[in-house]
């Protein structure tokens, strides 16, 4: 029997994770791992991040809606490094602004200015980006960097950050990384099973 970690979708139901090795909850604490776990993605479980069956009561649907953000790669060229960005993949985790607001800031135009910092700063941000929206290079040669973290991390009031596991279905977006992505857990994304940042726009929280 294979012990490869997998994530599967249950139609109009939870995410089923098998043979997971590491997971952290929204507080950063390690989660006790079981061989098979059902993770909530309707946004209404009273036992988040785990499923408690509430999806059936609220009429959760696995797919549908319109994804937020265009599916295109935008390049930001600097003297020493080029950064590319796909808005369709962005989950608005804001790690970029937290780590290097001198380079990544919505208050400046363009919002990414690689020459405002060092190459190391840029690479650290790209590594920390949980969704793969940010990468090094242009649209023809994107390099995805990975920060060391758990296979699944739960963002407070946000999605599941997944690393090193195949997605439950192909992530069909330009320049997408199939080993680093974010999965919706609010139930509101227009790009399910993936997060499209709707949780932030609608003010969703773990308390719901």
């Amino acid at each position: 029997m294979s012990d490869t970690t997998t994530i599967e979708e249950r139609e109009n139901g939870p995410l089923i994770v098998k043979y997971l090795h590491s997971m952290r909850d929204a507080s950063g604490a390690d989660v006790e791992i079981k061989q098979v776990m059902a993770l909530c993605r309707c946004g209404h479980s009273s036992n988040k991040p785990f499923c408690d069956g509430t999806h059936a009561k609220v009429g959760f649907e696995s797919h549908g809606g319109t994804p937020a953000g265009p599916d295109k790669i935008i390049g930001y060229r600097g003297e020493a490094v080029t950064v590319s960005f796909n808005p369709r993949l962005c989950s608005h985790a804001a790690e970029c602004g937290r780590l290097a607001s001198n380079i990544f800031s919505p208050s400046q135009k363009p919002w990414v200015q690689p020459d405002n910092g060092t190459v190391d700063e840029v690479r650290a941000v790209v590594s920390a980006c949980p969704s793969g929206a940010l990468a090094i290079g242009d649209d023809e040669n994107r390099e995805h960097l990975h920060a060391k973290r758990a296979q699944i991390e739960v963002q407070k009031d946000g999605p599941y950050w997944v690393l090193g596991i195949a997605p439950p279905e192909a992530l069909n977006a330009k320049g997408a990384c199939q080993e680093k992505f974010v999965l919706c857990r609010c139930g509101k994304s227009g790009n399910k099973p993936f997060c499209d940042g709707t949780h932030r726009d609608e003010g969703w929280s773990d308390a719901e």
Side-chain angles (χ1 to χ4, degrees), residues 99-154:
L99 293 172
S101 60
N102 52 315
I103 303 171
F104 302 85
S105 174
S107 65
Q108 63 188 12
K109 293 185 178 182
W111 77 278
V112 181
Q113 297 190 20
D115 291 337
N116 283 358
T118 67
V119 173
D120 285 345
E121 285 180 301
V122 171
R123 293 181 68 86
V125 167
V126 170
S127 296
C129 175
S131 66
L134 291 170
I136 300 293
D138 56 25
D139 59 347
E140 295 182 357
N141 186 24
R142 299 189 92 210
E143 178 188 2
H144 291 282
L145 306 177
H146 305 156
K148 186 177 181 180
R149 54 180 172 83
Q151 287 179 297
I152 296 179
E153 295 197 359
V154 181

Side-chain angles (χ1 to χ4, degrees), residues 6-39:
T6 60
I7 302 177
E8 304 169 1
E9 289 185 85
R10 287 280 172 82
E11 185 175 0
N12 301 331
L15 295 166
I16 304 299
V17 184
K18 300 179 180 179
Y19 305 113
L20 190 68
H21 301 297
S22 58
M23 180 174 177
R24 291 180 179 169
D25 64 19
S27 71
D30 290 335
V31 173
E32 181 181 355
I33 300 300
K34 297 181 180 179
Q35 191 174 82
V36 179
M37 299 190 297
L39 301 182

Side-chain angles (χ1 to χ4, degrees), residues 73 86 89 132 142 144 171-178 180:
I73 295 178
N86 185 336
L89 296 171
R142 299 189 92 210
H144 291 282
L171 184 47
N172 293 320
K174 294 178 180 178
C177 179
Q178 302 297 326
K180 183 174 77 165

